[in-house]
Amino acid sequence: MALSEFQLIHRYFESSRFAAATGAGVIVGVGDDAAVLRMPPESDLAVSIDTLVRGVHFPADMAPADIAWRSLAVNLSDMAAMGAQPLWFTLALTMDRADESWLEPFSRTLAEIAARFGVALVGGDTTRGPLTISIEIHGAVPRSGALLRSGAHPGDGLYVTGWPGLAALGLRRLGSGEVVSDDPAVAAFLRPEPRVAFGIGLRGLASAAIDVSDGLLADAGHIAERSAVALEIDVARLPLAAALQGLETREDAWSLCLSGGDDYELCFTAPAQSAGAIARLAQRHALPCTRIGTVSAGEGVHCHGFEPPRAGFDHFGGLA
Ligand code: ADP
Ligand code: MG
């Protein structure tokens, strides 16, 4: 490596570009043997880690700036699903060589999304090997107030934010090369927008929540399982983005919406008395939030009006 490990860390991850997000509670950040962090009072710590491997979680030719965005966005999305305020993250970066033409845009965009969401990079690890980005994120929730997958009750409504399926359409278009500039579907795939503020707004309103990474059906299935309930999805209520409405068949649009991954929308359940507050929250954040069904007694996720061809992506089982 032309650049030593320490020069690399200093130049790209300890640099002033991350200063915009020094983050609350950082006593010691990058540069010592460990970060020292102070939690806000009366809070619980929410911790999550996600690893992205080239060729597995993102296309081998994906631009470094897009990889940076995605690697932090997926972690921010986990915080959103817990109703947590993200505070700090660490970065374990593995790469073949210290390629500055890769590191420069990666670090720049990582700093950009970190500043946007107010999270501080407080440490990490740098190693040589096939390109892999692993980020661990830490956030705060009010004591005993985290949104869990396990709280859904029969009678609750089932909701989803935004436009599920749009990212999967974007990935399909990238794969087939039919990309036009400013395509909202491609943008949804390349620059997913974690619903952090909305997740925080759901504290005290939602009974259960999850973020949609593997597809709406697959992830709703985790709520059903953890809450020991059934979820009834009324397919006619699914929010279809304009790009999905424009597809040749409605079945294709529904399949993408139900089974496409990489959305990073929030899927959640809430009791009837939360409905008005949820509508106001959606309005305040200018984020569509659609009631797509109901929680009932039983198990599994049931689609009414259309039988989807496949569930989401499972890394060990392949396509289910
Ligand atoms: P140690 O050998 O004590 O584990 P390292 O040499 O791995 O320390 O790292 C030195 C400092 O740089 C530590 O504070 C560590 O958290 C930080 N660091 C290493 N790699 C990264 C990275 N990719 N991003 C941010 N900080 C990093
Ligand atoms: Mg050390």
Side-chain angles (χ1 to χ4, degrees):
M1 292 191 182
L3 205 61
S4 82
E5 183 186 329
F6 299 106
Q7 287 171 323
L8 184 161
I9 294 166
H10 186 72
R11 188 169 303 171
Y12 294 107
F13 301 110
E14 201 180 4
S15 59
S16 56
R17 65 178 58 158
F18 281 97
T22 46
V26 180
I27 313 296
V28 177
V30 172
D32 215 310
D33 292 307
V36 180
L37 308 165
R38 189 164 297 160
M39 288 289 289
E42 303 297 314
S43 57
D44 288 337
L45 174 65
V47 181
S48 176
I49 186 165
D50 260 304
T51 299
L52 302 186
V53 180
R54 175 163 58 194
V56 178
H57 303 95
F58 58 88
D61 61 353
M62 196 171 190
D66 293 331
I67 296 169
W69 184 277
R70 177 170 220 80
S71 29
L72 189 52
V74 300
N75 281 282
L76 289 165
S77 181
D78 282 322
M79 293 291 105
M82 301 302 287
Q85 172 69 59
L87 297 171
W88 317 299
F89 70 102
T90 54
L91 165 70
L93 180 61
T94 303
M95 54 192 167
D96 298 313
R97 60 196 180 89
D99 178 354
E100 295 198 66
S101 68
W102 189 92
L103 279 161
E104 171 60 33
F106 177 84
S107 146
R108 192 165 290 284
T109 303
L110 191 67
E112 186 188 314
I113 180 172
R116 167 108 157 254
F117 287 89
V119 285
L121 175 60
V122 296
D125 197 18
T126 306
T127 53
R128 198 190 288 254
L131 186 63
T132 304
I133 298 100
S134 197
I135 286 183
E136 179 167 276
I137 195 161
H138 305 88
V141 281
R143 199 168 285 182
S144 306
L147 300 177
L148 308 181
R149 297 176 176 185
S150 54
H153 293 289
D156 288 353
L158 175 67
Y159 298 80
V160 72
T161 60
W163 308 112
L166 192 56
L169 179 62
L171 180 60
R172 179 195 283 179
R173 287 180 176 168
L174 282 171
S176 67
E178 41 164 328
V179 178
V180 295
S181 66
D182 296 329
D183 183 338
V186 170
F189 175 73
L190 291 180
R191 298 292 172 108
E193 192 65 39
R195 306 306 191 187
V196 172
F198 197 90
I200 291 170
L202 284 177
R203 290 175 185 167
L205 297 179
S207 50
I210 191 167
D211 67 316
V212 181
S213 53
D214 295 335
L216 184 54
L217 270 186
D219 289 313
H222 296 307
I223 290 185
E225 195 181 331
R226 290 279 161 177
S227 298
V229 294
L231 300 177
E232 316 291 340
I233 295 180
D234 183 353
V235 172
R237 286 171 174 261
L238 289 174
L240 295 181
L244 269 78
Q245 289 184 34
L247 292 171
E248 226 158 88
T249 68
R250 198 36 60 103
E251 287 71 23
D252 189 20
W254 283 333
S255 297
L256 281 172
C257 189
L258 289 164
S259 307
D262 300 308
D263 293 312
Y264 302 101
E265 297 292 355
L266 295 179
C267 174
F268 63 96
T269 61
Q273 71 261 24
S274 294
I278 289 168
R280 287 191 293 278
L281 182 68
Q283 204 156 38
R284 196 159 65 240
H285 292 282
L287 177 65
C289 180
T290 312
R291 184 173 169 180
I292 58 169
T294 306
V295 181
S296 66
E299 58 180 43
V301 184
H302 309 272
C303 289
H304 301 275
F306 170 68
E307 195 52 49
R310 66 174 177 90
F313 187 77
D314 171 340
H315 280 285
F316 294 98
L319 294 178

